[in-house]
Structure formats: C-alpha cells, structure tokens
Amino acid sequence: MMPPEEESLAGGGEGDGGLVLLQALKSGSTRKQGCDPFAQTQRSKLQHRRARINQQINKEMRMRAGAENLFRATSNHKVKETVALELSYVNSNLQLLKEELEELNSSMDVYQNDRLLSSSSESISVPMIPLGLKETKELDLLVPLKDLISEHYGEEGILFEKEIKEFMELRQAMRTPSRNEAGLELLMEYYNQLYFLDSRFFPPTKSLGVFFHWYDSLTGVPSHQRALAFEKGSVLFNIGALHTQIGARQDRASLPGLNQAIDAFQKAAGAFNYLKENFSNAPSLDMSAASLNMLVRLMVAQVQECVFEKMTLLCTQHDFLSRLQLAQEAARVEDVYSLVHQTMTQAHVKDYVPFSWTTMVHVKSEHFKALSHYFAAIALCDCPAASDAELPEQEKAFIQFHVTMPDGPSLRVLLQDPEERRKLGKAHLKKAIMKHEEAMRIHGLCKILRKMDILQEVLSFAHKRSLSKYSEIDHEEDFFETGDAPDIHPKTLQKPEIKSPNFSQVKVTDLFHRLGPLSVFSAKNKWYPVRRVHLMRGENGFGFTLRGDSPVLIAGVIPGGCAAEAGLKEGNYIISVNGKDCKWSKHAEVVQLLKSTGEEGVEIGVITLQGSEGPKAADKKAAAMSLASGLQKSNKENNRKSLMNSKSASTLLVWSKKSKRSKKSTYGVPFTAVGDNEAMY
C-alpha cells in the first residue's frame, strides 16, 4: 500500500471517491462509502466501459435466445432464412463485444504504479496481471424484507425501513470499492452482514423471491440466482480481485512496496482459494473450480516474482554465492509461471482466459528462465575463482545448483580455473540469449502486448544486456564449440503463503438486532404467536423458575402456582414485561422488573418455539441448558455453516464446506449461554 499521506481514503490515491467521502464526513455518517461512480479516473473509466459491455452482452444474448427459439419453432422456410441471418449478426456482435472485454481485461498498465512506468530501464518491473471487479445490478430489498418481517417475525415491517435502507446503501457502496484498505474493509463489512441477512431472512424451506445478478469478470456473461451463497461468492471474488489491483499498483522499486505487493497477492490467492474450497457448482465461469485454481496459481507466481525482485534489491553483495542464489530465484519464478501457463492452456480454460494473459505468462516464463542463465553466467565470469578457503562452501552450493551436472572437468577444477568458468558462463549466456529472443518472439504474437511499451522495454533491455556480456567474454581465438548449459535447479528463500481472508478483522453489528437474539429469532426457527399473560404474585411468588439471558427462559413451572394457572409452560421465552421489550434483557434485568411489580400484578409476553412444547422437550431443553452453561457464542466466519438449498441442481451454488461448529458456539441450543444458578420467582 502507498503511505497514508500519499493516498486518498476513498480513492486509493486516485481521487476516485473523495466527493462521496467528503459528503459522508459532512453528514456525520460513519458508514463506509464506495468510490464516486462519476469520478473520471482511468480505473473508473475502465470499470464503466466494463459495465456497458456487460449490458450489451446481456442484450445480445437475450436476442440470440429468442432467435434460436423462433428458428426451432417455425416451419416457414423464409422465416428460417431471416432468423438464421439475424443469428449470424448477433453472434458476430457477441464476438466483437467479448474481444472488446478481453482488451479491457488486458489493460494491465492502468493498474500499475506510475513510478513503475517512469523508472530507468535497469529498475523497471514487469507489469503484473490484475483482475477487474465483477459487476452487479442494483437490488431492491425493501418490500421482500418488510413482508418477511411481518409474516415471520410478527413485527411491523415499516418499523424496520431504516435498517433495510442502511443495508441497501451498504450494498450500493460495495459495488464501487476504493482501491485501498478502506475498499477492502467495505467489502468485508458487507460480506459479514450477509451472514446476519442469511440467518434472519433466508429460511431453509422458503425462497425470499429475490434474484442476485452478477456479470462474469472475464466474459461479461450475466448470471442470476436466488441463493445468497451466489452473492457471498461474488463478493469474495471481488475481495480477491481488489487485492490484485492493490498489489499491481505498488512501487516495486522499493522494499516497502515489494513487501506490500507480496502481501496483497498472497491475500488474493487466499481469497480465490477460499472461494474454490467453499463453493461448488458456480453459475459463472470465473468462479468455477478450474478458473479459481488458475487464479490461485497466477497469484502465487506473481508473489514469487515479487520475491525475486526483493532478493535483487537486497543483494548488495556481488559475490559468487549471491549470484547463484539470484539465478535459482529466477529459475523458481520460471518454474511457477510454467505451471500457470500449463493451467491456462488446458482445454476447459484456454477459451476463457484472455489470450494476452496466456501470452504474458508464457513471456514471463521464458524471460525468467533467461535471467536465471544470465545470473549464472555473471556468477561464473564476474566473480573471482574460488580460493582454497572458499572452495568447500562454493562446492556445496554448486552441487545443488544445476539440475544435471555440466560436462567437463571436476567441480574443483571448474571453480578454480578461470578459463573453465568462462566456458560454462558462455554456455549459460548463449542459452540466456536464446530464451530472451524466444520471449520477444512470443511477445510479438499478441497485438495487445505489442502496445505495452514497458514490457517491450524490459525484454529489450535484458536481451541487450546478455548480448553485451556475451560479446565481452567471447574471444576470437575460441575454437571450442559452446556447449549446452544444463538447467538451473529452482530454489527460493521465501515460499509464497496463501493467506485466507480474516473476516473477524472487520467487526460488524447485526443491522436487524432489534428483531431479537439470533439464537431464537432466526429464519430457521418458528414460534407460536406472542401470548400476553397477567400474573398476580401469590404466597410463593409467581410460581416459576427462570434461567438464561437474552431472552430469559422459563425453566420450570410449579404445579398449582400462579404461572401454571395462567398457562405458562417450561420452555416459554419471556420477551416483554409490562410492555417493555425484554428480548435482549439479561437475567438480572428481567428479575428486577418482576420484583418491582405491585399489587396490580404484572403482564408478561411469552413465545414458544414450535416443536419445543411438552414435558419431554422441556426436559431435553433443561439438559441442553446445563451443557451450555458458561459458554459464549463464537462469531468467526470460519466456524459458520451456511448451506443454501434449491430444487434445481443446475442453478445451485452450494456453500459446501461443512465446518464443524466451535465448541464455544451455542447455535446447537435454542437459547444463548445460561448460568448455573436457577432461582424461583
């Protein structure tokens, strides 16, 4: 990340959100804001074009579906010819739109750091591959949520309009997150609120009747589902994509910038990996297992590239061992990019991934292989021959340096004879030059990459440097044929770490907490209508025992007492006392309200969960209470279990990771943690 003083809170250093943030500060709102959707930054223009193309693709696909249906349905020959012609036009338009979207996805330079583009040739970094954000349509939840609140919770839906609008504003803001930590926190906050929305408003046996619309990040093809898991997965994807943009914009010519880029790409890999492991049957290709696997590998490769750049900066010593280490780091980068290229060229991925991405990865693979041979040659030719004292350490390092030992003299002779070192170094330089030329050839095959001046400059500089070194060590009297240098064994001092999202770092409160504690008042639970019961205090009090907090539970009813005569039963929850809402009240607070009643008695409101009535159920509940004593609810997303059910398997996105609930969780019982004490009232 850029230093705070260089970075706009809402605009990621680009000014693409300052207007909205300023308005929020003036109004005193603490709600996180998205970027100003009308800000004309390079990144926002790119995203606007993406949204426009997405809409056009959606329109063309609807036209194609209608034309195909008409073609199948009609038997009129002339109509068939007309429809076939129209279909050819539509398919042609779709192809052009997808090519335009691919060009947008290949606009890597927009996301790079400005300093990266203006540095000297020697310090220029190869551009990274960032992802564009998935676009989504606006969503109106006002009527569906108000209806469900009235129907399921028995509350006036109009009383919760403020909370519903606040949630909708949060969703609107997360559509345009800023390219910094504030944008990530905004997406995380919305993702965490989806957990509460799921628990409150998505019953396992009933649909809310709302469709979530999202566009594929790379193809622009629209998808929609009723499952909230699709919304969750799409937000997770955007968290990963935003990390890639943050990583790409770092100044990788400095050590702090490199460390921040490494952290960002590791977190991007973690987000995509978490998505791959926890979701299945994704309706859009960008969230399929194959695509996510490719993205994880791509992010790991970009981390490894940053590690190489970091080692280059830290390598102040120009000794033999340091040069060998750089050569092995470069070989490691080549190794991981080769794996990414293999993944991108698989049958079910190659038609989906932009050709410029595949070409860029292939170019990087060849480029870093060339660099590994270049640094090997520098180690052999520029560093002095090993002394007797240095020989054991250099022998140990050189034994593990090549994949296969080079032909020629013994290792000791090779390391101490300058002429033998020059010969092997010349072989490495010859291979480096061949790989540089191959990288430049592949680069020339892609029209989009040819427009990328910075990449051309990097490849050209590295090629000229190797040629210059080869000319320097090449002697006219060399009559030997330069051999084929063996490949270099890949090795790294810093292995990439896949960092899973830490959802608990962004604390949120349930916007709909007024509905009551989730342990009872959730979409999965059903309860009988509220009963208002008037109790008069008898000689032995009210005749019931209470346990627990939020809400307080009637754990026992004395036969013949006031409570029994009024119809109260074990397992009833007290939700009000004399009209005061007690859903969130502690045990002591409810007791105090009951004790403060006079001769006129007290009116309490109670509810009973369906399926929990009866002596046996009450006994089970009491047993469960004793087991749950002293426990506290865990609010970590990694311990959540969210399974979305649907009748149609073809449109189902399943939250498939059935993580075991934490032992600290009380979701297994229909009430929150209770104390061991039980008192009679």
Side-chain angles (χ1 to χ4, degrees):
M1 297 286 296
M2 296 288 289
E5 63 271 13
E6 298 180 23
E7 187 170 39
S8 163
L9 281 175
E14 299 175 43
D16 53 353
L19 175 63
V20 177
L21 183 65
L22 184 63
Q23 291 171 347
L25 292 175
K26 285 181 178 178
S27 64
S29 171
T30 59
R31 170 66 53 202
K32 293 182 178 65
Q33 303 292 319
C35 296
D36 178 5
F38 300 106
Q40 294 299 299
T41 63
Q42 287 295 322
R43 175 173 167 261
S44 65
K45 288 178 182 177
L46 201 69
Q47 204 67 29
H48 289 161
R49 284 181 62 194
R50 182 190 301 279
R52 177 183 59 79
I53 294 171
N54 285 338
Q55 292 170 5
Q56 288 177 325
I57 289 175
N58 189 16
K59 178 182 176 182
E60 294 291 340
M61 289 188 69
R62 288 202 305 268
M63 288 177 62
R64 185 173 69 176
E68 287 174 344
N69 290 336
L70 180 57
F71 187 83
R72 286 191 294 265
T74 186
S75 57
N76 188 306
H77 184 67
K78 287 187 178 181
V79 173
K80 274 185 178 290
E81 285 184 351
T82 305
V83 172
L85 184 61
E86 184 65 28
L87 272 172
S88 68
Y89 285 135
V90 170
N91 287 328
S92 177
N93 288 341
L94 271 174
Q95 185 60 34
L96 289 172
L97 287 169
K98 288 182 178 180
E99 286 176 3
E100 188 178 350
L101 187 60
E102 179 181 341
E103 188 170 352
L104 282 187
N105 290 321
S106 305
S107 302
M108 306 169 203
D109 53 330
V110 172
Y111 298 97
Q112 311 301 318
N113 187 281
D114 291 337
R115 297 179 203 172
L116 180 149
L117 303 174
S118 58
S119 302
S120 64
S121 296
E122 198 161 350
S123 62
I124 281 180
S125 302
V126 183
M128 293 295 185
I129 299 178
L131 273 76
L133 302 180
K134 287 173 71 72
E135 291 282 343
T136 181
K137 292 183 178 180
E138 290 188 19
L139 185 64
D140 189 354
L141 290 169
L142 190 60
V143 174
L145 293 190
K146 281 168 61 177
D147 289 347
L148 193 137
I149 288 171
S150 300
E151 177 187 337
H152 185 77
Y153 291 92
E155 304 272 2
E156 289 291 336
I158 196 171
L159 300 178
F160 290 84
E161 278 192 0
K162 179 184 175 183
E163 287 90 341
I164 298 172
K165 288 179 179 178
E166 188 174 353
F167 179 83
M168 289 168 58
E169 288 171 3
L170 178 61
R171 187 181 192 275
Q172 183 67 14
M174 75 86 201
R175 295 176 64 193
T176 55
S178 55
R179 188 160 48 120
N180 52 22
E181 285 296 329
L184 289 169
E185 287 181 8
L186 177 60
L187 288 171
M188 285 280 201
E189 179 182 356
Y190 180 70
Y191 184 90
N192 287 342
Q193 283 293 349
L194 289 178
Y195 163 71
F196 291 113
L197 192 77
D198 189 12
S199 302
R200 294 285 190 191
F201 301 111
F202 285 80
T205 57
K206 182 183 177 182
S207 169
L208 190 62
V210 173
F211 281 98
F212 299 98
H213 295 260
W214 288 85
Y215 294 94
D216 190 291
S217 174
L218 297 181
T219 65
V221 175
S223 301
H224 63 272
Q225 282 195 345
R226 287 192 177 98
L228 190 66
F230 183 37
E231 180 90 344
K232 284 184 177 180
S234 298
V235 175
L236 267 175
F237 185 95
N238 275 359
I239 289 173
L242 194 57
H243 275 302
T244 70
Q245 295 182 13
I246 291 172
R249 76 181 290 260
Q250 300 306 319
D251 176 16
R252 302 198 328 268
S254 68
L255 195 58
L258 276 169
N259 285 329
Q260 288 157 358
I262 289 171
D263 183 62
F265 288 125
Q266 287 182 152
K267 287 178 177 177
F272 295 134
N273 193 59
Y274 188 88
L275 188 55
K276 182 185 72 172
E277 291 182 348
N278 291 281
F279 285 84
S280 61
N281 300 326
S284 59
L285 285 173
D286 55 356
M287 290 165 62
S288 67
S291 296
L292 292 171
N293 185 54
M294 178 271 295
L295 290 175
V296 170
R297 289 180 175 179
L298 175 60
M299 294 307 117
V300 169
Q302 297 192 143
V303 171
Q304 200 69 66
E305 183 178 350
C306 292
V307 170
F308 169 78
E309 293 171 343
K310 181 180 177 181
M311 295 301 146
T312 305
L313 276 181
L314 293 174
C315 186
T316 55
Q317 302 291 330
H318 300 302
D319 60 291
F320 180 74
L321 295 178
S322 297
R323 296 298 187 185
L324 293 187
Q325 187 182 91
L326 279 179
Q328 290 189 298
E329 286 284 357
R332 177 60 184 161
V333 179
E334 181 269 329
D335 194 45
V336 291
Y337 270 120
S338 293
L339 179 60
V340 176
H341 184 251
Q342 290 174 18
T343 309
M344 286 184 170
T345 52
Q346 291 175 356
H348 49 286
V349 178
K350 67 178 181 180
D351 295 331
Y352 167 72
V353 176
F355 178 65
S356 58
W357 285 20
T358 308
T359 308
M360 171 70 94
V361 166
H362 197 184
V363 166
K364 286 192 175 190
S365 174
E366 298 295 336
H367 173 68
F368 281 99
K369 188 158 191 174
L371 289 183
S372 69
H373 286 284
Y374 170 78
F375 282 111
I378 293 297
L380 289 163
C381 299
D382 286 6
C383 299
S387 64
D388 290 337
E390 296 170 334
L391 190 60
E393 188 179 8
Q394 290 193 10
E395 275 187 320
K396 182 180 178 182
F398 211 70
I399 286 174
Q400 302 173 356
F401 183 68
H402 290 106
V403 175
T404 57
M405 286 303 294
D407 296 332
S410 66
L411 194 57
R412 179 177 291 269
V413 173
L414 174 63
L415 291 173
Q416 292 190 311
D417 186 344
E419 181 60 20
E420 291 297 334
R421 290 167 70 109
R422 186 181 71 87
K423 286 181 181 180
L424 183 57
K426 190 175 179 182
H428 276 296
L429 275 175
K430 179 183 175 182
K431 201 160 191 177
I433 292 168
M434 290 171 58
K435 290 299 174 182
H436 282 311
E437 290 172 350
E438 179 64 9
M440 294 171 74
R441 184 191 69 81
I442 296 167
H443 168 263
L445 297 176
C446 182
K447 180 180 69 174
I448 293 173
L449 292 190
R450 286 200 302 270
K451 298 177 182 177
M452 200 175 292
D453 295 337
I454 181 174
L455 182 58
Q456 178 69 42
E457 193 174 345
V458 169
L459 298 178
S460 179
F461 172 80
H463 181 233
K464 289 176 181 177
R465 184 176 61 176
S466 294
L467 281 173
S468 175
K469 191 65 185 177
Y470 189 86
S471 300
E472 180 185 322
I473 67 169
D474 187 29
H475 295 168
E476 289 184 4
E477 62 272 17
D478 285 346
F479 295 107
F480 62 86
E481 184 179 345
T482 305
D484 186 25
D487 285 335
I488 294 161
H489 183 72
K491 184 181 178 182
T492 182
L493 295 180
Q494 182 178 339
K495 291 185 178 179
E497 178 187 353
I498 296 178
K499 294 185 176 181
S500 295
N502 181 13
F503 300 106
S504 61
Q505 73 181 20
V506 179
K507 306 295 182 185
V508 299
T509 55
D510 181 8
L511 291 176
F512 299 92
H513 70 279
R514 286 197 296 131
L515 289 172
L518 267 175
S519 54
V520 174
F521 301 95
S522 66
K524 68 179 180 180
N525 289 333
K526 292 184 179 181
W527 51 89
Y528 294 104
V530 179
R531 288 191 298 129
R532 310 287 177 187
V533 178
H534 190 81
L535 295 178
M536 301 294 293
R537 188 190 300 274
E539 294 181 3
N540 297 320
F542 292 115
F544 54 65
T545 56
L546 302 180
R547 297 190 75 169
D549 295 321
S550 308
V552 173
L553 178 79
I554 296 179
V557 177
I558 300 176
C562 298
E565 291 179 1
L568 293 180
K569 296 180 180 179
E570 297 176 22
N572 288 164
Y573 289 97
I574 297 178
I575 62 168
S576 67
V577 175
N578 283 336
K580 177 179 172 58
D581 192 302
C582 295
K583 294 191 187 83
W584 286 99
S585 297
K586 300 295 184 183
H587 184 279
E589 294 171 348
V590 173
V591 170
Q592 186 59 39
L593 287 172
L594 292 173
K595 285 183 176 179
S596 63
T597 58
E599 295 181 357
E600 70 279 4
V602 62
E603 182 183 81
I604 63 173
V606 297
I607 63 163
T608 305
L609 290 181
Q610 292 185 19
S612 65
E613 60 275 43
K616 291 184 179 180
D619 291 342
K620 289 180 181 178
K621 197 169 295 185
M625 279 192 295
S626 62
L627 289 172
S629 173
L631 300 182
Q632 294 180 344
K633 180 163 56 176
S634 169
N635 193 30
K636 293 182 180 178
E637 173 65 24
N638 290 342
N639 289 331
R640 295 172 186 157
K641 179 181 177 184
S642 177
L643 179 64
M644 303 303 299
N645 298 314
S646 173
K647 295 180 181 178
S648 174
S650 62
T651 60
L652 176 65
L653 180 62
V654 183
W655 181 252
S656 59
K657 184 175 180 182
K658 299 182 176 68
S659 57
K660 295 181 180 177
R661 289 194 178 118
S662 166
K663 292 182 179 179
K664 294 183 180 181
S665 173
T666 60
Y667 288 121
V669 291
F671 45 84
T672 50
V674 296
D676 288 326
N677 59 316
E678 178 178 327
M680 180 81 71
Y681 303 102

